Every structure is written in structure tokens, then in C-alpha cells.
Amino acid sequence: DTEVTQTPKHLVMGMTNKKSLKCEQHMGHRAMYWYKQKAKKPPELMFVYSYEKLSINESVPSRFSPECPNSSLLNLHLHALQPEDSALYLCASSQTTSGGNTDTQYFGPGTRLTVL
Amino acid sequence: AQTVTQSQPEMSVQEAETVTLSCTYDTSESDYYLFWYKQPPSRQMILVIRQEAYKQQNATENRFSVNFQKAAKSFSLKISDSQLGDAAMYFCAYIGSNYQLIWGAGTKLIIKP
């Protein structure tokens, strides 16, 4: 089972709203990722959690705040977003980040975010 | 730094025929993995096939196979018996020692009925 789930599928928010994106996996993976993807472009890495600790933050603005409550869950808290933040947000997981075969990433279906 | 290049922004193929998508990469590492991901209009990024650099044998998954040429740093994807459901963006990706995926720009595959 290589399923990663994300909720909601679609989200429309104003620039003053606070919302959260959720991601869940039950594959026993210990690494989870947030990506941002613009139309017709490859995903851009935002954050990496390894063993529930933030290991990579790719200079993402503070209006994006990740949280990893446990090894199966990953949240992305959104506050005071800008229209240019509108994109597809993808969550992924992998067994580890230790190199080799276990780094294969499996993706969720994404959340389409629109900021008005 | 590693780079991945997909030189075909768009490809089209007749249903039931074979198509090959190109990917080249640049790295100084000797141990790495290469991937092809498919992203249909439904948006989900789906792993199609994976190749370990230390394996000379080309990976295959049903109708999907790769031609991995390590010396030439080439990693092409062949889709046999193309089906309408194969229509998608296809991304080539590399992962090496720092466990971050390096992506190509993508190739949009159109299947003509």
C-alpha cells in the first residue's frame, strides 16, 4: 500500500485567513515532505521532516508553517498568504532519508490552493 | 550540482503505438537513483519506474521500460502499446546522496485516439 492522503482537495482563502493543509500516510515512513507546484512546472521542495524533526526548510516564507504531530501526520499551516502562493501543494513520504532505495518518494493527490 | 534535462516539452503518439521520452542528467556521484513520475490531469504524482545506478539491467514495469545509459548519463522512458490513460506530464527525477529529488522540466504526453 503506497497511499498518501491529503485534505482538502481544494481550498480557497482570502489573504487574511488562516487555514491548514493535512497529509497522512500509513506506510510506516519516517520522512515526509511538502512541495509547491505551479502549473506545468516540476514540484519545488518546501520542507522535509525526518523522524518528526524538521530537517530542511528551503527558505520558505514564514506565512507557511509546517508541523509534524507524529510520524504519520504532516500539516501545513497557512496565514496571510499572497495571491502568488496559489498553487498545487503536494505531500510526499519516504521510508527514510538515509540514501538508497528507501528514499523513494510517494506522493499524495495534492491540495489545489487559491488565494484571493 | 546535479541537473536533469528533459528536452521534449511535448510529445504525441497514436494509441497502441510506442513512444520514447528522453532524459539526460549530470552528476559526479556514482551511486544514485533515477525515477520517472507521471502526473495526469488528476494531479497525483505517480511513480512509474525506478532505476538504481549500480544496476546495469534496465528496469521494466509492464508496458513501461527504461534505457539507462550510465556513461552517457541518459535515462529514457519507453511506453509500449500506448493507452489513453497514459496521457500526462512525465517528469524525470534524480536522487543522490542528499536525498532531495532533482526534477526535469517535464514532458507532456498526448495520446491520439
PDB file of all heavy atoms in Angstrom, chain B residues 11-44:
ATOM      1  N   MET B  11       5.163  15.660 -26.435  1.00  0.00           N
ATOM      2  CA  MET B  11       5.245  14.557 -27.393  1.00  0.00           C
ATOM      3  C   MET B  11       3.827  14.054 -27.641  1.00  0.00           C
ATOM      4  O   MET B  11       2.969  14.110 -26.751  1.00  0.00           O
ATOM      5  CB  MET B  11       6.079  13.401 -26.828  1.00  0.00           C
ATOM      6  CG  MET B  11       7.546  13.707 -26.643  1.00  0.00           C
ATOM      7  SD  MET B  11       8.434  13.549 -28.187  1.00  0.00           S
ATOM      8  CE  MET B  11       8.486  11.756 -28.359  1.00  0.00           C
ATOM      9  N   SER B  12       3.609  13.538 -28.841  1.00  0.00           N
ATOM     10  CA  SER B  12       2.312  12.919 -29.119  1.00  0.00           C
ATOM     11  C   SER B  12       2.528  11.568 -29.776  1.00  0.00           C
ATOM     12  O   SER B  12       3.542  11.348 -30.459  1.00  0.00           O
ATOM     13  CB  SER B  12       1.446  13.820 -29.997  1.00  0.00           C
ATOM     14  OG  SER B  12       2.049  13.997 -31.257  1.00  0.00           O
ATOM     15  N   VAL B  13       1.603  10.667 -29.536  1.00  0.00           N
ATOM     16  CA  VAL B  13       1.710   9.311 -30.074  1.00  0.00           C
ATOM     17  C   VAL B  13       0.307   8.790 -30.355  1.00  0.00           C
ATOM     18  O   VAL B  13      -0.653   9.148 -29.653  1.00  0.00           O
ATOM     19  CB  VAL B  13       2.451   8.392 -29.091  1.00  0.00           C
ATOM     20  CG1 VAL B  13       1.676   8.245 -27.797  1.00  0.00           C
ATOM     21  CG2 VAL B  13       2.743   7.031 -29.708  1.00  0.00           C
ATOM     22  N   GLN B  14       0.222   7.951 -31.377  1.00  0.00           N
ATOM     23  CA  GLN B  14      -1.056   7.326 -31.684  1.00  0.00           C
ATOM     24  C   GLN B  14      -1.305   6.205 -30.671  1.00  0.00           C
ATOM     25  O   GLN B  14      -0.370   5.497 -30.265  1.00  0.00           O
ATOM     26  CB  GLN B  14      -0.996   6.730 -33.103  1.00  0.00           C
ATOM     27  CG  GLN B  14      -2.322   6.619 -33.813  1.00  0.00           C
ATOM     28  CD  GLN B  14      -2.873   7.968 -34.241  1.00  0.00           C
ATOM     29  OE1 GLN B  14      -2.144   8.891 -34.576  1.00  0.00           O
ATOM     30  NE2 GLN B  14      -4.183   8.073 -34.213  1.00  0.00           N
ATOM     31  N   GLU B  15      -2.552   6.077 -30.282  1.00  0.00           N
ATOM     32  CA  GLU B  15      -2.923   5.000 -29.375  1.00  0.00           C
ATOM     33  C   GLU B  15      -2.421   3.666 -29.921  1.00  0.00           C
ATOM     34  O   GLU B  15      -2.494   3.409 -31.126  1.00  0.00           O
ATOM     35  CB  GLU B  15      -4.451   4.975 -29.231  1.00  0.00           C
ATOM     36  CG  GLU B  15      -4.976   4.106 -28.104  1.00  0.00           C
ATOM     37  CD  GLU B  15      -6.497   4.204 -27.980  1.00  0.00           C
ATOM     38  OE1 GLU B  15      -7.138   4.890 -28.811  1.00  0.00           O
ATOM     39  OE2 GLU B  15      -7.042   3.597 -27.052  1.00  0.00           O
ATOM     40  N   ALA B  16      -1.896   2.823 -29.020  1.00  0.00           N
ATOM     41  CA  ALA B  16      -1.384   1.482 -29.320  1.00  0.00           C
ATOM     42  C   ALA B  16       0.044   1.491 -29.875  1.00  0.00           C
ATOM     43  O   ALA B  16       0.633   0.419 -30.030  1.00  0.00           O
ATOM     44  CB  ALA B  16      -2.281   0.707 -30.263  1.00  0.00           C
ATOM     45  N   GLU B  17       0.587   2.660 -30.156  1.00  0.00           N
ATOM     46  CA  GLU B  17       1.963   2.709 -30.645  1.00  0.00           C
ATOM     47  C   GLU B  17       2.935   2.930 -29.487  1.00  0.00           C
ATOM     48  O   GLU B  17       2.548   3.057 -28.335  1.00  0.00           O
ATOM     49  CB  GLU B  17       2.095   3.793 -31.713  1.00  0.00           C
ATOM     50  CG  GLU B  17       1.274   3.451 -32.957  1.00  0.00           C
ATOM     51  CD  GLU B  17       1.563   4.364 -34.129  1.00  0.00           C
ATOM     52  OE1 GLU B  17       2.213   5.420 -33.938  1.00  0.00           O
ATOM     53  OE2 GLU B  17       1.128   4.020 -35.249  1.00  0.00           O
ATOM     54  N   THR B  18       4.212   2.971 -29.826  1.00  0.00           N
ATOM     55  CA  THR B  18       5.284   3.105 -28.841  1.00  0.00           C
ATOM     56  C   THR B  18       5.881   4.493 -28.892  1.00  0.00           C
ATOM     57  O   THR B  18       6.030   5.073 -29.974  1.00  0.00           O
ATOM     58  CB  THR B  18       6.378   2.052 -29.110  1.00  0.00           C
ATOM     59  OG1 THR B  18       5.815   0.743 -28.921  1.00  0.00           O
ATOM     60  CG2 THR B  18       7.553   2.229 -28.159  1.00  0.00           C
ATOM     61  N   VAL B  19       6.191   5.038 -27.735  1.00  0.00           N
ATOM     62  CA  VAL B  19       6.790   6.376 -27.658  1.00  0.00           C
ATOM     63  C   VAL B  19       7.940   6.332 -26.665  1.00  0.00           C
ATOM     64  O   VAL B  19       7.902   5.569 -25.684  1.00  0.00           O
ATOM     65  CB  VAL B  19       5.741   7.424 -27.237  1.00  0.00           C
ATOM     66  CG1 VAL B  19       5.218   7.159 -25.832  1.00  0.00           C
ATOM     67  CG2 VAL B  19       6.290   8.838 -27.356  1.00  0.00           C
ATOM     68  N   THR B  20       8.964   7.134 -26.931  1.00  0.00           N
ATOM     69  CA  THR B  20      10.122   7.226 -26.037  1.00  0.00           C
ATOM     70  C   THR B  20      10.319   8.662 -25.590  1.00  0.00           C
ATOM     71  O   THR B  20      10.398   9.575 -26.414  1.00  0.00           O
ATOM     72  CB  THR B  20      11.395   6.718 -26.741  1.00  0.00           C
ATOM     73  OG1 THR B  20      11.216   5.334 -27.083  1.00  0.00           O
ATOM     74  CG2 THR B  20      12.595   6.844 -25.814  1.00  0.00           C
ATOM     75  N   LEU B  21      10.385   8.851 -24.283  1.00  0.00           N
ATOM     76  CA  LEU B  21      10.627  10.167 -23.694  1.00  0.00           C
ATOM     77  C   LEU B  21      12.087  10.233 -23.245  1.00  0.00           C
ATOM     78  O   LEU B  21      12.586   9.304 -22.613  1.00  0.00           O
ATOM     79  CB  LEU B  21       9.699  10.396 -22.496  1.00  0.00           C
ATOM     80  CG  LEU B  21       8.204  10.169 -22.735  1.00  0.00           C
ATOM     81  CD1 LEU B  21       7.416  10.543 -21.483  1.00  0.00           C
ATOM     82  CD2 LEU B  21       7.709  10.929 -23.939  1.00  0.00           C
ATOM     83  N   SER B  22      12.730  11.345 -23.542  1.00  0.00           N
ATOM     84  CA  SER B  22      14.158  11.475 -23.276  1.00  0.00           C
ATOM     85  C   SER B  22      14.446  12.193 -21.967  1.00  0.00           C
ATOM     86  O   SER B  22      13.691  13.077 -21.545  1.00  0.00           O
ATOM     87  CB  SER B  22      14.825  12.247 -24.417  1.00  0.00           C
ATOM     88  OG  SER B  22      14.642  11.577 -25.637  1.00  0.00           O
ATOM     89  N   CYS B  23      15.551  11.804 -21.342  1.00  0.00           N
ATOM     90  CA  CYS B  23      16.016  12.452 -20.119  1.00  0.00           C
ATOM     91  C   CYS B  23      17.526  12.295 -20.049  1.00  0.00           C
ATOM     92  O   CYS B  23      18.048  11.193 -20.255  1.00  0.00           O
ATOM     93  CB  CYS B  23      15.361  11.828 -18.892  1.00  0.00           C
ATOM     94  SG  CYS B  23      15.995  12.417 -17.309  1.00  0.00           S
ATOM     95  N   THR B  24      18.210  13.382 -19.804  1.00  0.00           N
ATOM     96  CA  THR B  24      19.641  13.307 -19.532  1.00  0.00           C
ATOM     97  C   THR B  24      19.898  13.978 -18.199  1.00  0.00           C
ATOM     98  O   THR B  24      19.111  14.813 -17.723  1.00  0.00           O
ATOM     99  CB  THR B  24      20.475  13.989 -20.627  1.00  0.00           C
ATOM    100  OG1 THR B  24      20.074  15.361 -20.737  1.00  0.00           O
ATOM    101  CG2 THR B  24      20.285  13.295 -21.963  1.00  0.00           C
ATOM    102  N   TYR B  25      20.991  13.614 -17.577  1.00  0.00           N
ATOM    103  CA  TYR B  25      21.293  14.167 -16.263  1.00  0.00           C
ATOM    104  C   TYR B  25      22.789  14.383 -16.148  1.00  0.00           C
ATOM    105  O   TYR B  25      23.575  13.843 -16.942  1.00  0.00           O
ATOM    106  CB  TYR B  25      20.780  13.241 -15.159  1.00  0.00           C
ATOM    107  CG  TYR B  25      21.379  11.863 -15.188  1.00  0.00           C
ATOM    108  CD1 TYR B  25      22.477  11.551 -14.407  1.00  0.00           C
ATOM    109  CD2 TYR B  25      20.856  10.887 -16.037  1.00  0.00           C
ATOM    110  CE1 TYR B  25      23.041  10.289 -14.456  1.00  0.00           C
ATOM    111  CE2 TYR B  25      21.414   9.624 -16.094  1.00  0.00           C
ATOM    112  CZ  TYR B  25      22.508   9.329 -15.303  1.00  0.00           C
ATOM    113  OH  TYR B  25      23.079   8.077 -15.364  1.00  0.00           O
ATOM    114  N   ASP B  26      23.152  15.170 -15.186  1.00  0.00           N
ATOM    115  CA  ASP B  26      24.570  15.429 -14.944  1.00  0.00           C
ATOM    116  C   ASP B  26      24.844  15.260 -13.452  1.00  0.00           C
ATOM    117  O   ASP B  26      24.125  15.828 -12.622  1.00  0.00           O
ATOM    118  CB  ASP B  26      24.946  16.836 -15.402  1.00  0.00           C
ATOM    119  CG  ASP B  26      26.451  17.046 -15.411  1.00  0.00           C
ATOM    120  OD1 ASP B  26      27.186  16.047 -15.543  1.00  0.00           O
ATOM    121  OD2 ASP B  26      26.895  18.195 -15.284  1.00  0.00           O
ATOM    122  N   THR B  27      25.847  14.499 -13.125  1.00  0.00           N
ATOM    123  CA  THR B  27      26.227  14.277 -11.741  1.00  0.00           C
ATOM    124  C   THR B  27      27.660  13.793 -11.686  1.00  0.00           C
ATOM    125  O   THR B  27      28.154  13.193 -12.642  1.00  0.00           O
ATOM    126  CB  THR B  27      25.293  13.244 -11.078  1.00  0.00           C
ATOM    127  OG1 THR B  27      25.640  13.108  -9.707  1.00  0.00           O
ATOM    128  CG2 THR B  27      25.397  11.878 -11.760  1.00  0.00           C
ATOM    129  N   SER B  28      28.293  14.029 -10.561  1.00  0.00           N
ATOM    130  CA  SER B  28      29.623  13.482 -10.325  1.00  0.00           C
ATOM    131  C   SER B  28      29.558  12.300  -9.356  1.00  0.00           C
ATOM    132  O   SER B  28      30.574  11.671  -9.064  1.00  0.00           O
ATOM    133  CB  SER B  28      30.552  14.559  -9.764  1.00  0.00           C
ATOM    134  OG  SER B  28      30.017  15.073  -8.560  1.00  0.00           O
ATOM    135  N   GLU B  29      28.355  11.986  -8.879  1.00  0.00           N
ATOM    136  CA  GLU B  29      28.175  10.879  -7.956  1.00  0.00           C
ATOM    137  C   GLU B  29      28.142   9.564  -8.723  1.00  0.00           C
ATOM    138  O   GLU B  29      27.778   9.519  -9.906  1.00  0.00           O
ATOM    139  CB  GLU B  29      26.871  11.052  -7.148  1.00  0.00           C
ATOM    140  CG  GLU B  29      26.869  12.291  -6.276  1.00  0.00           C
ATOM    141  CD  GLU B  29      25.568  12.459  -5.501  1.00  0.00           C
ATOM    142  OE1 GLU B  29      24.484  12.294  -6.098  1.00  0.00           O
ATOM    143  OE2 GLU B  29      25.649  12.759  -4.296  1.00  0.00           O
ATOM    144  N   SER B  30      28.507   8.504  -8.035  1.00  0.00           N
ATOM    145  CA  SER B  30      28.484   7.191  -8.672  1.00  0.00           C
ATOM    146  C   SER B  30      27.292   6.355  -8.214  1.00  0.00           C
ATOM    147  O   SER B  30      26.896   5.415  -8.900  1.00  0.00           O
ATOM    148  CB  SER B  30      29.782   6.435  -8.355  1.00  0.00           C
ATOM    149  OG  SER B  30      29.932   6.300  -6.948  1.00  0.00           O
ATOM    150  N   ASP B  31      26.716   6.724  -7.097  1.00  0.00           N
ATOM    151  CA  ASP B  31      25.590   5.965  -6.546  1.00  0.00           C
ATOM    152  C   ASP B  31      24.379   6.886  -6.469  1.00  0.00           C
ATOM    153  O   ASP B  31      24.409   7.888  -5.746  1.00  0.00           O
ATOM    154  CB  ASP B  31      25.942   5.424  -5.158  1.00  0.00           C
ATOM    155  CG  ASP B  31      24.904   4.428  -4.675  1.00  0.00           C
ATOM    156  OD1 ASP B  31      24.120   3.925  -5.509  1.00  0.00           O
ATOM    157  OD2 ASP B  31      24.875   4.161  -3.463  1.00  0.00           O
ATOM    158  N   TYR B  32      23.345   6.546  -7.201  1.00  0.00           N
ATOM    159  CA  TYR B  32      22.156   7.399  -7.236  1.00  0.00           C
ATOM    160  C   TYR B  32      20.996   6.601  -7.803  1.00  0.00           C
ATOM    161  O   TYR B  32      21.158   5.442  -8.219  1.00  0.00           O
ATOM    162  CB  TYR B  32      22.403   8.660  -8.078  1.00  0.00           C
ATOM    163  CG  TYR B  32      22.973   8.389  -9.459  1.00  0.00           C
ATOM    164  CD1 TYR B  32      22.147   8.120 -10.546  1.00  0.00           C
ATOM    165  CD2 TYR B  32      24.349   8.407  -9.665  1.00  0.00           C
ATOM    166  CE1 TYR B  32      22.667   7.867 -11.789  1.00  0.00           C
ATOM    167  CE2 TYR B  32      24.885   8.153 -10.921  1.00  0.00           C
ATOM    168  CZ  TYR B  32      24.048   7.883 -11.982  1.00  0.00           C
ATOM    169  OH  TYR B  32      24.576   7.631 -13.225  1.00  0.00           O
ATOM    170  N   TYR B  33      19.825   7.200  -7.752  1.00  0.00           N
ATOM    171  CA  TYR B  33      18.622   6.578  -8.299  1.00  0.00           C
ATOM    172  C   TYR B  33      17.971   7.542  -9.271  1.00  0.00           C
ATOM    173  O   TYR B  33      18.036   8.763  -9.099  1.00  0.00           O
ATOM    174  CB  TYR B  33      17.626   6.241  -7.177  1.00  0.00           C
ATOM    175  CG  TYR B  33      18.074   5.093  -6.316  1.00  0.00           C
ATOM    176  CD1 TYR B  33      19.068   5.255  -5.361  1.00  0.00           C
ATOM    177  CD2 TYR B  33      17.518   3.830  -6.488  1.00  0.00           C
ATOM    178  CE1 TYR B  33      19.488   4.193  -4.578  1.00  0.00           C
ATOM    179  CE2 TYR B  33      17.938   2.769  -5.717  1.00  0.00           C
ATOM    180  CZ  TYR B  33      18.915   2.949  -4.769  1.00  0.00           C
ATOM    181  OH  TYR B  33      19.335   1.887  -4.009  1.00  0.00           O
ATOM    182  N   LEU B  34      17.340   6.982 -10.256  1.00  0.00           N
ATOM    183  CA  LEU B  34      16.607   7.761 -11.246  1.00  0.00           C
ATOM    184  C   LEU B  34      15.161   7.294 -11.277  1.00  0.00           C
ATOM    185  O   LEU B  34      14.876   6.107 -11.079  1.00  0.00           O
ATOM    186  CB  LEU B  34      17.236   7.598 -12.631  1.00  0.00           C
ATOM    187  CG  LEU B  34      18.654   8.146 -12.760  1.00  0.00           C
ATOM    188  CD1 LEU B  34      19.335   7.569 -13.998  1.00  0.00           C
ATOM    189  CD2 LEU B  34      18.628   9.663 -12.828  1.00  0.00           C
ATOM    190  N   PHE B  35      14.265   8.227 -11.527  1.00  0.00           N
ATOM    191  CA  PHE B  35      12.838   7.931 -11.495  1.00  0.00           C
ATOM    192  C   PHE B  35      12.137   8.571 -12.683  1.00  0.00           C
ATOM    193  O   PHE B  35      12.551   9.617 -13.181  1.00  0.00           O
ATOM    194  CB  PHE B  35      12.194   8.507 -10.228  1.00  0.00           C
ATOM    195  CG  PHE B  35      12.831   8.085  -8.946  1.00  0.00           C
ATOM    196  CD1 PHE B  35      13.897   8.804  -8.419  1.00  0.00           C
ATOM    197  CD2 PHE B  35      12.375   6.981  -8.260  1.00  0.00           C
ATOM    198  CE1 PHE B  35      14.501   8.426  -7.232  1.00  0.00           C
ATOM    199  CE2 PHE B  35      12.968   6.586  -7.069  1.00  0.00           C
ATOM    200  CZ  PHE B  35      14.033   7.314  -6.553  1.00  0.00           C
ATOM    201  N   TRP B  36      11.055   7.940 -13.084  1.00  0.00           N
ATOM    202  CA  TRP B  36      10.073   8.574 -13.927  1.00  0.00           C
ATOM    203  C   TRP B  36       8.767   8.630 -13.119  1.00  0.00           C
ATOM    204  O   TRP B  36       8.301   7.612 -12.610  1.00  0.00           O
ATOM    205  CB  TRP B  36       9.834   7.805 -15.221  1.00  0.00           C
ATOM    206  CG  TRP B  36      10.865   8.075 -16.263  1.00  0.00           C
ATOM    207  CD1 TRP B  36      11.962   7.321 -16.576  1.00  0.00           C
ATOM    208  CD2 TRP B  36      10.901   9.204 -17.155  1.00  0.00           C
ATOM    209  NE1 TRP B  36      12.670   7.897 -17.596  1.00  0.00           N
ATOM    210  CE2 TRP B  36      12.044   9.055 -17.961  1.00  0.00           C
ATOM    211  CE3 TRP B  36      10.061  10.312 -17.354  1.00  0.00           C
ATOM    212  CZ2 TRP B  36      12.370   9.982 -18.967  1.00  0.00           C
ATOM    213  CZ3 TRP B  36      10.392  11.229 -18.334  1.00  0.00           C
ATOM    214  CH2 TRP B  36      11.534  11.056 -19.130  1.00  0.00           C
ATOM    215  N   TYR B  37       8.231   9.855 -13.013  1.00  0.00           N
ATOM    216  CA  TYR B  37       6.938  10.068 -12.393  1.00  0.00           C
ATOM    217  C   TYR B  37       5.971  10.536 -13.467  1.00  0.00           C
ATOM    218  O   TYR B  37       6.337  11.263 -14.391  1.00  0.00           O
ATOM    219  CB  TYR B  37       7.014  11.139 -11.304  1.00  0.00           C
ATOM    220  CG  TYR B  37       7.608  10.690  -9.992  1.00  0.00           C
ATOM    221  CD1 TYR B  37       8.970  10.830  -9.750  1.00  0.00           C
ATOM    222  CD2 TYR B  37       6.808  10.151  -8.985  1.00  0.00           C
ATOM    223  CE1 TYR B  37       9.516  10.442  -8.521  1.00  0.00           C
ATOM    224  CE2 TYR B  37       7.342   9.761  -7.766  1.00  0.00           C
ATOM    225  CZ  TYR B  37       8.697   9.908  -7.547  1.00  0.00           C
ATOM    226  OH  TYR B  37       9.235   9.529  -6.329  1.00  0.00           O
ATOM    227  N   LYS B  38       4.722  10.166 -13.285  1.00  0.00           N
ATOM    228  CA  LYS B  38       3.637  10.550 -14.186  1.00  0.00           C
ATOM    229  C   LYS B  38       2.655  11.395 -13.395  1.00  0.00           C
ATOM    230  O   LYS B  38       2.294  11.054 -12.266  1.00  0.00           O
ATOM    231  CB  LYS B  38       2.959   9.267 -14.692  1.00  0.00           C
ATOM    232  CG  LYS B  38       1.615   9.432 -15.335  1.00  0.00           C
ATOM    233  CD  LYS B  38       1.012   8.065 -15.627  1.00  0.00           C
ATOM    234  CE  LYS B  38      -0.387   8.162 -16.165  1.00  0.00           C
ATOM    235  NZ  LYS B  38      -0.971   6.815 -16.421  1.00  0.00           N
ATOM    236  N   GLN B  39       2.211  12.514 -14.002  1.00  0.00           N
ATOM    237  CA  GLN B  39       1.217  13.360 -13.355  1.00  0.00           C
ATOM    238  C   GLN B  39       0.078  13.634 -14.331  1.00  0.00           C
ATOM    239  O   GLN B  39       0.162  14.519 -15.168  1.00  0.00           O
ATOM    240  CB  GLN B  39       1.831  14.677 -12.865  1.00  0.00           C
ATOM    241  CG  GLN B  39       0.883  15.485 -11.992  1.00  0.00           C
ATOM    242  CD  GLN B  39       1.550  16.717 -11.403  1.00  0.00           C
ATOM    243  OE1 GLN B  39       2.372  17.361 -12.041  1.00  0.00           O
ATOM    244  NE2 GLN B  39       1.194  17.049 -10.167  1.00  0.00           N
ATOM    245  N   PRO B  40      -1.000  12.862 -14.251  1.00  0.00           N
ATOM    246  CA  PRO B  40      -2.155  13.090 -15.130  1.00  0.00           C
ATOM    247  C   PRO B  40      -2.903  14.337 -14.708  1.00  0.00           C
ATOM    248  O   PRO B  40      -2.591  14.931 -13.669  1.00  0.00           O
ATOM    249  CB  PRO B  40      -2.998  11.820 -14.918  1.00  0.00           C
ATOM    250  CG  PRO B  40      -2.572  11.267 -13.619  1.00  0.00           C
ATOM    251  CD  PRO B  40      -1.167  11.722 -13.367  1.00  0.00           C
ATOM    252  N   PRO B  41      -3.902  14.733 -15.496  1.00  0.00           N
ATOM    253  CA  PRO B  41      -4.683  15.916 -15.135  1.00  0.00           C
ATOM    254  C   PRO B  41      -5.306  15.827 -13.739  1.00  0.00           C
ATOM    255  O   PRO B  41      -5.610  16.852 -13.139  1.00  0.00           O
ATOM    256  CB  PRO B  41      -5.755  15.961 -16.232  1.00  0.00           C
ATOM    257  CG  PRO B  41      -5.107  15.310 -17.397  1.00  0.00           C
ATOM    258  CD  PRO B  41      -4.243  14.227 -16.826  1.00  0.00           C
ATOM    259  N   SER B  42      -5.470  14.638 -13.232  1.00  0.00           N
ATOM    260  CA  SER B  42      -5.999  14.472 -11.867  1.00  0.00           C
ATOM    261  C   SER B  42      -5.012  14.969 -10.811  1.00  0.00           C
ATOM    262  O   SER B  42      -5.351  15.042  -9.644  1.00  0.00           O
ATOM    263  CB  SER B  42      -6.327  12.999 -11.598  1.00  0.00           C
ATOM    264  OG  SER B  42      -5.147  12.210 -11.651  1.00  0.00           O
ATOM    265  N   ARG B  43      -3.800  15.269 -11.208  1.00  0.00           N
ATOM    266  CA  ARG B  43      -2.773  15.934 -10.411  1.00  0.00           C
ATOM    267  C   ARG B  43      -1.860  15.019  -9.615  1.00  0.00           C
ATOM    268  O   ARG B  43      -0.771  15.435  -9.240  1.00  0.00           O
ATOM    269  CB  ARG B  43      -3.381  16.950  -9.432  1.00  0.00           C
ATOM    270  CG  ARG B  43      -4.309  17.925 -10.021  1.00  0.00           C
ATOM    271  CD  ARG B  43      -4.981  18.782  -8.983  1.00  0.00           C
ATOM    272  NE  ARG B  43      -5.251  18.093  -7.738  1.00  0.00           N
ATOM    273  CZ  ARG B  43      -6.191  18.479  -6.883  1.00  0.00           C
ATOM    274  NH1 ARG B  43      -6.955  19.500  -7.166  1.00  0.00           N
ATOM    275  NH2 ARG B  43      -6.359  17.837  -5.757  1.00  0.00           N
ATOM    276  N   GLN B  44      -2.294  13.794  -9.280  1.00  0.00           N
ATOM    277  CA  GLN B  44      -1.450  12.986  -8.417  1.00  0.00           C
ATOM    278  C   GLN B  44      -0.164  12.587  -9.115  1.00  0.00           C
ATOM    279  O   GLN B  44      -0.178  12.114 -10.241  1.00  0.00           O
ATOM    280  CB  GLN B  44      -2.184  11.732  -7.960  1.00  0.00           C
ATOM    281  CG  GLN B  44      -1.342  10.849  -7.058  1.00  0.00           C
ATOM    282  CD  GLN B  44      -2.126  10.184  -5.966  1.00  0.00           C
ATOM    283  OE1 GLN B  44      -3.348  10.148  -6.004  1.00  0.00           O
ATOM    284  NE2 GLN B  44      -1.430   9.648  -4.981  1.00  0.00           N
TER     285      GLN B  44
END
